[in-house]
Amino acid sequence: MYKVLVFAGTTEGYEICRFLADHRVQTKGFVATEYGSKSLAESEFLTVQTGRLDAAAMEETFLQEKPEMVLDATHPYAAEVTVNIRTACENTQTAYYRVLREAGEHEDRAVYVDSVQAAADYLDQTQGNVLLTTGSKELVGFTGMKDYQNRLYARVLSLPNVMKACAELGFEGKHLIGMQGPFSRELNAAMLRQYDCRYLVTKDTGKAGGFQDKIDAALECDAVPVIIGRPLKEEGMSVRECKRFLTEHFSLAHRPHITLLGIGMGSQKLLTVQGKNSLDQADLLIGARRMVDSVKRPGQDVFVEYRSQEIRDYIDAHPEYDNIVIVLSGDVGFYSGARKLLEVLCQDREDNTEIEIQCGISSVVYFMSQIGLSWDDAKIVSAHGRGCNLISHICYTEKVFSILGTSDGVAVLAEKLVKYGMGDVLLYVGENLSYENEKIFAKPASELTEYKGDPLSVICAVNENAGTRLETHGIRDEEFIRGKAPMTKEEVRTVSLSKLRLTADSVCYDVGAGTGSLSIEMALRAHQGQVWAIEKKEDAVELIHRNKLKFAADNLEIVEGLAPEALKDLPTPTHAFIGGSSGNLKEIVKLLLEKNPQVRIVINCITLETVSEALETAKEFGFEENEIVQLSAARSKAIGRYHMMMGENPIYIITLQNPGK
């Protein structure tokens, strides 16, 4: 026995039959013609019956099959069939549901008439050729027009009996076009131009019937659409609503196919063939407004959203969508939201949801090809919505590509380059890549300090004077600008920095920074992190500023003040170096641990009193890692032809981490 009987013969009917069969619901589909039966493939869960049924045959079938429901997905103009199906359901007490084709979007320039005869009467008062797309059964209604055999061009199905019947009505030669749809906007427009038609006659067959493609083509060719309204004012479900109803009624598992698609920069011309095919087949398109607007198809359902959890919730709440495409800018593997989206979509899923990832053309590939530079030897980063020390990359890399993200991004970068003595760095700028208003140019940084551009931009910085990044600690003392402020000597810096164990993205404090020598080396090592130099003396603060400029340490921030008060509003540290505490060591360590219990602390002590204070602090907080290194260094000094070793003050280097609970 069948659970569902579907009166098909339309795109919607075929789709519902396939949907039910795919979900293993026993279904029988009814189609009127042999052509309709070819559109449905029978399977274990789908049987197709060909031939027209009158009201009595319908009643007999319903009584014999005893289905849970009947779905009427017949053509919107098949009014008599719909009446028969509804009546048969009432007489047999069978649940009846109407599936209606969604209406197309009409335009104000169209002419609306109630019937074929009204359309013929209207056209008889006009001049110019007419393309008829209403089908062969309606042609007889136009034969009463004056000179119809010369003015009218009829597009009908290319079946022998149809062509013969049209010829008998006087439609012959080029005025009779035998073709099978669907017809795209481009093909409709080509036919209107080919036959120089000033009018196009159509019924409002809805989105699935190609209605909107006809209207769009007519308006494109300055032809007037003549629209014959629907004969019945019906209420019913759309295909999407029907699928949702069936899913809930039969408790069907929702197994959508989800595609994460990289669409390039946004222009249709940069879509891959694979991407175009996926978009053509999508039931639902999801993405940010700019992206969905650039690739959506006519009549396609759209959900404008970019947040991962909201996308997941919407998909779960709409089981009527089987083929979902989520569009992402550029390539899904290049600074894309695809990673987080995948995590959210796959979390706690036990169903058979299929997720496919399709790559796109990334901005770096497109932009570098446009400016004629290779990108395999470039440093590739993004400063869009994330921390990125571009100055550091440009200092030490000859070629740097970066995504920006603000209208003043180019100016801010150029201003910093000039400040650090790199105004001659050449900046290639790309805005609105692939769009009609695309803009690409190159200028030295010194000429772009006041530039205002589009937030949707990228740059490639070419620095022919790029240096070599320090892979180990060891800037000579003589390279720092020095004054009267104390400076941690080179040998002590090397050991202290080694004990800190910095990473490229560390967030570091240098408490009691002095001239900033250790702050500078920390900033150069943690070049994608942050370093905060805290110093209470005004003259020392000035020295740190000067050294920051000299070494282009753009990720170094300077705070004038006394710790621990000066630390309270700073970001959470991963590492801290204490070179001077002004007697507040215990309070400083306490605050550091409140900010981050796992912070790694290195303390330099010169006096025995400071050593004692550090040991008491370590004991009070019960650090698991509690290491003390005493370092004595001596440097040679030439005296005549002899060299004597001159000792430096001994230093105690104390490393603390992992306090007790």
Side-chain angles (χ1 to χ4, degrees), residues 109 127 129 189 192-193 196-200 214-225:
R109 291 163 56 187
Q127 294 182 344
N129 294 341
L192 288 167
R193 293 190 179 102
D196 191 27
C197 293
R198 310 320 305 156
Y199 297 88
L200 180 146
K214 297 177 189 177
I215 299 300
D216 292 342
L219 297 177
E220 177 186 326
C221 298
D222 291 325
V224 177

Tab-separated table of all heavy atoms in Angstrom, residues 109 127 129 189 192-193 196-200 214-225:
chain	number	residue	atom	x	y	z
A	109	ARG	N	5.794	47.304	-15.970
A	109	ARG	CA	5.680	47.522	-17.420
A	109	ARG	C	4.871	46.431	-18.108
A	109	ARG	O	4.642	46.479	-19.314
A	109	ARG	CB	7.072	47.600	-18.037
A	109	ARG	CG	7.836	48.860	-17.641
A	109	ARG	CD	9.319	48.712	-17.913
A	109	ARG	NE	9.596	48.371	-19.291
A	109	ARG	CZ	10.816	48.048	-19.743
A	109	ARG	NH1	11.828	48.013	-18.906
A	109	ARG	NH2	11.000	47.759	-21.009
A	127	GLN	N	0.761	46.887	-32.838
A	127	GLN	CA	1.576	46.526	-33.993
A	127	GLN	C	2.880	45.908	-33.500
A	127	GLN	O	3.355	46.210	-32.411
A	127	GLN	CB	1.874	47.768	-34.847
A	127	GLN	CG	0.640	48.381	-35.501
A	127	GLN	CD	0.995	49.576	-36.358
A	127	GLN	OE1	2.081	50.136	-36.252
A	127	GLN	NE2	0.062	49.971	-37.227
A	129	ASN	N	5.666	42.232	-33.948
A	129	ASN	CA	5.645	40.775	-33.818
A	129	ASN	C	5.455	40.345	-32.364
A	129	ASN	O	5.815	41.061	-31.424
A	129	ASN	CB	6.943	40.181	-34.367
A	129	ASN	CG	7.062	40.392	-35.860
A	129	ASN	OD1	6.055	40.645	-36.547
A	129	ASN	ND2	8.271	40.304	-36.390
A	189	ALA	N	15.708	35.886	-24.621
A	189	ALA	CA	16.102	37.176	-25.202
A	189	ALA	C	16.580	36.995	-26.638
A	189	ALA	O	16.268	37.813	-27.523
A	189	ALA	CB	17.200	37.816	-24.350
A	192	LEU	N	13.567	36.598	-28.914
A	192	LEU	CA	12.863	37.869	-29.106
A	192	LEU	C	13.594	38.747	-30.122
A	192	LEU	O	12.963	39.390	-30.977
A	192	LEU	CB	12.735	38.606	-27.768
A	192	LEU	CG	11.727	38.014	-26.766
A	192	LEU	CD1	11.917	38.631	-25.386
A	192	LEU	CD2	10.298	38.250	-27.251
A	193	ARG	N	14.919	38.750	-30.039
A	193	ARG	CA	15.705	39.564	-30.976
A	193	ARG	C	15.685	38.943	-32.376
A	193	ARG	O	15.616	39.650	-33.386
A	193	ARG	CB	17.139	39.696	-30.468
A	193	ARG	CG	17.271	40.508	-29.173
A	193	ARG	CD	18.733	40.806	-28.857
A	193	ARG	NE	18.861	41.586	-27.641
A	193	ARG	CZ	19.207	41.089	-26.461
A	193	ARG	NH1	19.450	39.789	-26.342
A	193	ARG	NH2	19.301	41.865	-25.397
A	196	ASP	N	12.422	39.753	-33.889
A	196	ASP	CA	12.068	41.174	-33.738
A	196	ASP	C	10.699	41.324	-33.091
A	196	ASP	O	9.828	42.051	-33.577
A	196	ASP	CB	12.089	41.873	-35.103
A	196	ASP	CG	11.987	43.393	-34.967
A	196	ASP	OD1	12.402	43.917	-33.908
A	196	ASP	OD2	11.493	44.039	-35.895
A	197	CYS	N	10.494	40.625	-31.984
A	197	CYS	CA	9.202	40.643	-31.302
A	197	CYS	C	9.109	41.824	-30.337
A	197	CYS	O	10.038	42.079	-29.566
A	197	CYS	CB	8.989	39.339	-30.525
A	197	CYS	SG	8.812	37.893	-31.596
A	198	ARG	N	7.975	42.521	-30.385
A	198	ARG	CA	7.730	43.650	-29.481
A	198	ARG	C	6.853	43.247	-28.300
A	198	ARG	O	6.661	44.020	-27.366
A	198	ARG	CB	7.044	44.811	-30.225
A	198	ARG	CG	7.681	45.246	-31.533
A	198	ARG	CD	9.213	45.262	-31.505
A	198	ARG	NE	9.741	46.095	-30.411
A	198	ARG	CZ	10.938	45.929	-29.878
A	198	ARG	NH1	11.722	44.954	-30.298
A	198	ARG	NH2	11.336	46.715	-28.917
A	199	TYR	N	6.311	41.995	-28.338
A	199	TYR	CA	5.452	41.508	-27.253
A	199	TYR	C	5.814	40.054	-26.955
A	199	TYR	O	6.219	39.293	-27.840
A	199	TYR	CB	3.963	41.602	-27.628
A	199	TYR	CG	3.499	43.018	-27.868
A	199	TYR	CD1	3.607	43.594	-29.137
A	199	TYR	CD2	2.974	43.780	-26.833
A	199	TYR	CE1	3.209	44.907	-29.363
A	199	TYR	CE2	2.565	45.091	-27.053
A	199	TYR	CZ	2.691	45.652	-28.316
A	199	TYR	OH	2.297	46.944	-28.533
A	200	LEU	N	5.648	39.667	-25.698
A	200	LEU	CA	5.812	38.266	-25.286
A	200	LEU	C	4.599	37.891	-24.461
A	200	LEU	O	4.275	38.562	-23.469
A	200	LEU	CB	7.094	38.081	-24.465
A	200	LEU	CG	7.369	36.650	-23.967
A	200	LEU	CD1	8.867	36.363	-23.946
A	200	LEU	CD2	6.799	36.398	-22.564
A	214	LYS	N	11.292	34.627	-18.586
A	214	LYS	CA	10.592	35.253	-19.717
A	214	LYS	C	10.416	36.753	-19.484
A	214	LYS	O	10.667	37.567	-20.384
A	214	LYS	CB	9.218	34.605	-19.910
A	214	LYS	CG	9.237	33.124	-20.263
A	214	LYS	CD	7.805	32.605	-20.341
A	214	LYS	CE	7.753	31.103	-20.484
A	214	LYS	NZ	6.365	30.593	-20.496
A	215	ILE	N	9.975	37.106	-18.277
A	215	ILE	CA	9.749	38.525	-17.964
A	215	ILE	C	11.052	39.304	-18.064
A	215	ILE	O	11.120	40.388	-18.667
A	215	ILE	CB	9.140	38.672	-16.554
A	215	ILE	CG1	7.786	37.968	-16.480
A	215	ILE	CG2	9.014	40.144	-16.178
A	215	ILE	CD1	6.764	38.499	-17.443
A	216	ASP	N	12.116	38.767	-17.471
A	216	ASP	CA	13.411	39.458	-17.494
A	216	ASP	C	13.919	39.635	-18.920
A	216	ASP	O	14.476	40.685	-19.274
A	216	ASP	CB	14.438	38.678	-16.663
A	216	ASP	CG	14.111	38.695	-15.173
A	216	ASP	OD1	13.314	39.561	-14.760
A	216	ASP	OD2	14.641	37.845	-14.440
A	217	ALA	N	13.736	38.600	-19.752
A	217	ALA	CA	14.183	38.684	-21.144
A	217	ALA	C	13.380	39.735	-21.911
A	217	ALA	O	13.940	40.510	-22.701
A	217	ALA	CB	14.044	37.322	-21.822
A	218	ALA	N	12.068	39.768	-21.688
A	218	ALA	CA	11.222	40.743	-22.388
A	218	ALA	C	11.628	42.166	-22.035
A	218	ALA	O	11.786	43.025	-22.920
A	218	ALA	CB	9.757	40.503	-22.037
A	219	LEU	N	11.837	42.431	-20.759
A	219	LEU	CA	12.213	43.776	-20.336
A	219	LEU	C	13.599	44.146	-20.854
A	219	LEU	O	13.853	45.302	-21.197
A	219	LEU	CB	12.168	43.867	-18.810
A	219	LEU	CG	10.784	43.654	-18.183
A	219	LEU	CD1	10.864	43.695	-16.670
A	219	LEU	CD2	9.791	44.683	-18.696
A	220	GLU	N	14.474	43.158	-20.922
A	220	GLU	CA	15.825	43.401	-21.455
A	220	GLU	C	15.761	43.808	-22.928
A	220	GLU	O	16.564	44.634	-23.400
A	220	GLU	CB	16.676	42.139	-21.291
A	220	GLU	CG	18.071	42.235	-21.877
A	220	GLU	CD	18.817	40.910	-21.802
A	220	GLU	OE1	18.606	40.165	-20.819
A	220	GLU	OE2	19.605	40.615	-22.722
A	221	CYS	N	14.808	43.232	-23.668
A	221	CYS	CA	14.695	43.492	-25.113
A	221	CYS	C	13.656	44.567	-25.438
A	221	CYS	O	13.277	44.721	-26.612
A	221	CYS	CB	14.332	42.192	-25.837
A	221	CYS	SG	15.568	40.889	-25.671
A	222	ASP	N	13.189	45.284	-24.428
A	222	ASP	CA	12.173	46.330	-24.620
A	222	ASP	C	10.897	45.772	-25.238
A	222	ASP	O	10.218	46.442	-26.029
A	222	ASP	CB	12.716	47.475	-25.489
A	222	ASP	CG	13.790	48.272	-24.771
A	222	ASP	OD1	13.680	48.434	-23.541
A	222	ASP	OD2	14.739	48.717	-25.437
A	223	ALA	N	10.585	44.524	-24.918
A	223	ALA	CA	9.322	43.918	-25.352
A	223	ALA	C	8.342	43.964	-24.184
A	223	ALA	O	8.727	43.848	-23.023
A	223	ALA	CB	9.548	42.475	-25.801
A	224	VAL	N	7.066	44.122	-24.475
A	224	VAL	CA	6.044	44.232	-23.435
A	224	VAL	C	5.573	42.832	-23.041
A	224	VAL	O	5.094	42.072	-23.893
A	224	VAL	CB	4.850	45.065	-23.930
A	224	VAL	CG1	3.755	45.098	-22.865
A	224	VAL	CG2	5.299	46.468	-24.296
A	225	PRO	N	5.681	42.452	-21.758
A	225	PRO	CA	5.124	41.167	-21.324
A	225	PRO	C	3.605	41.263	-21.215
A	225	PRO	O	3.077	42.192	-20.591
A	225	PRO	CB	5.750	40.947	-19.943
A	225	PRO	CG	6.846	41.969	-19.814
A	225	PRO	CD	6.426	43.120	-20.670
